[in-house]
Amino acid sequence: SPGAEWGPTTERPGGSLLTRQLQELWRRSRGSLAPQRLLFEVTSASVVSERSSKYVLYTIYLIRSGQFDKAPAAIARRYSDFEQLNRRLRCRFGCDMAGVAFPRKRLRRNFTAETIAKRSRAFEQFLSHLHSIDEIRRSPEFLEFFFLPDLRAAQRLTCTGMYREALATWANAYRLQDRLGVCSSGRFLLTLAGLAVCHQELDQLGEAHSCCEQALQLLEAQGSHPLLGPFLQAHIHLAWKVGKDKRHSEARLQDLREAGLPLQQQPSLKECLIKEPLE
């Protein structure tokens, strides 16, 4: 299952797999401004029939060239999703998009193996071309095409108490942001909050603690952030439960108190997660 690598079975001496992944990721996000070459591969395409419509769903893996990723970062999108991305990017980046090819709409024979295979290759090339253009690669339109649907789905699942399913979805959103090199954004902090909350609800306290630790490293340079108080409080609570050092977080929380932050009214990490609007 997509969430398998996040389970408690990955605990071993020297810290869990998640902690090591996070530390490695953190080092990379600070140290490398040059983008890694990313490959987009359509691994399957299936025809979906709903009540009044029929469409092809393309599953795409994001693969870092020259590396073996044990757990894939995957998305599933239909032609209309790509079409919307294409439209939005052409509105904003007219010049850059002039040379980018997009497979045109067909009136019939949309479901033949030949059309699906051609479109699969065209979508791979389309995404690769977009990723090679600096301005576009960093744009919210391009980035959110990949991970915003997962964040919304994970938020919904968390709100309804389906923590195991939510965890797998947060984990995929995490991997997508990792591949896309956006591990210091607000969306990434929200993803870490989602992982921490779900791990805690599933009684995987070591993993929850690691997620808080990573978020606090990312927030180290920031004097104030809406998630700082909630992450500190969650980290202190979890550190106490798993027998880890919590003094640094307690000192930071004290600093916030002295700076006049009313911590009694601070929402919990879970409340922040549920209330965050994901437009």
Side-chain angles (χ1 to χ4, degrees):
S1 87
E5 73 174 296
W6 304 88
T9 51
T10 54
E11 289 281 349
R12 61 174 75 91
S16 69
L17 172 63
L18 178 63
T19 316
R20 282 202 306 281
Q21 273 184 335
L22 288 168
Q23 284 163 347
E24 175 54 32
L25 205 150
W26 172 234
R27 269 198 300 278
R28 275 208 312 274
S29 69
R30 290 166 85 187
S32 74
L33 290 171
Q36 273 189 307
R37 179 129 188 275
L38 203 55
L39 306 173
F40 301 91
E41 189 185 322
V42 175
T43 54
S44 66
S46 51
V47 178
V48 178
S49 294
E50 282 178 350
R51 283 184 301 282
S52 56
S53 67
K54 190 175 169 187
Y55 57 88
V56 181
L57 197 62
Y58 298 87
T59 298
I60 298 137
Y61 278 14
L62 279 68
I63 301 159
R64 279 184 286 234
S65 64
Q67 284 194 29
F68 173 68
D69 287 319
K70 240 194 356 243
I75 58 169
R77 300 286 182 272
R78 49 196 285 188
Y79 181 88
S80 57
D81 297 321
F82 285 102
E83 198 175 33
Q84 186 188 23
L85 174 66
N86 182 50
R87 212 169 35 244
R88 290 178 73 194
L89 290 174
R90 282 184 202 278
C91 275
R92 192 171 156 206
F93 302 102
C95 295
D96 283 322
M97 290 295 291
V100 179
F102 186 76
R104 63 179 200 276
K105 217 173 181 68
R106 297 175 65 112
L107 293 173
R108 53 183 184 276
R109 295 178 62 77
N110 276 308
F111 302 104
T112 65
E114 187 189 6
T115 300
I116 290 171
K118 271 190 182 152
R119 277 211 177 144
S120 297
R121 299 297 78 78
F123 288 144
E124 289 174 350
Q125 286 159 0
F126 174 65
L127 293 175
S128 293
H129 198 160
L130 295 178
H131 190 257
S132 71
I133 302 167
D134 275 2
E135 285 289 298
I136 291 176
R137 183 177 58 247
R138 297 194 193 104
S139 71
E141 290 89 344
F142 178 72
L143 293 166
E144 293 187 346
F145 167 79
F146 292 95
F147 57 78
L148 197 56
D150 267 3
L151 292 183
R152 286 183 178 137
Q155 186 184 47
R156 262 196 320 274
L157 289 162
T158 308
C159 289
T160 52
M162 297 178 74
Y163 300 114
R164 200 162 292 285
E165 295 83 349
L167 183 62
T169 313
W170 288 118
N172 191 57
Y174 169 99
R175 290 192 291 268
L176 288 166
Q177 290 169 90
D178 171 27
R179 307 296 189 270
L180 292 161
V182 282
C183 293
S184 52
S185 71
R187 301 288 202 206
F188 191 64
L189 284 167
L190 190 72
T191 307
L192 287 169
L195 287 166
V197 165
C198 292
H199 277 308
Q200 188 168 356
E201 293 288 349
L202 293 166
D203 221 23
Q204 298 163 4
L205 303 184
E207 301 291 25
H209 175 265
S210 299
C211 293
C212 291
E213 198 126 277
Q214 173 64 9
L216 290 173
Q217 277 188 308
L218 286 167
L219 288 164
E220 189 73 59
Q222 305 202 29
S224 70
H225 184 282
L227 285 172
L228 180 56
F231 265 122
L232 284 169
Q233 288 177 320
H235 184 252
I236 291 164
H237 171 73
L238 287 159
W240 174 72
K241 287 243 179 186
V242 297
K244 293 266 169 68
D245 188 5
K246 57 189 192 314
R247 284 168 301 186
H248 184 54
S249 287
E250 285 171 335
R252 284 180 80 185
L253 204 56
Q254 189 55 36
D255 290 345
L256 290 182
R257 270 197 199 95
E258 284 162 13
L261 190 74
L263 291 173
Q264 280 67 42
Q265 287 108 59
Q266 280 280 289
S268 69
L269 215 45
K270 193 172 179 182
E271 286 165 344
C272 292
L273 205 59
I274 287 166
K275 288 178 185 153
E276 179 69 23
L278 285 169
E279 268 79 54

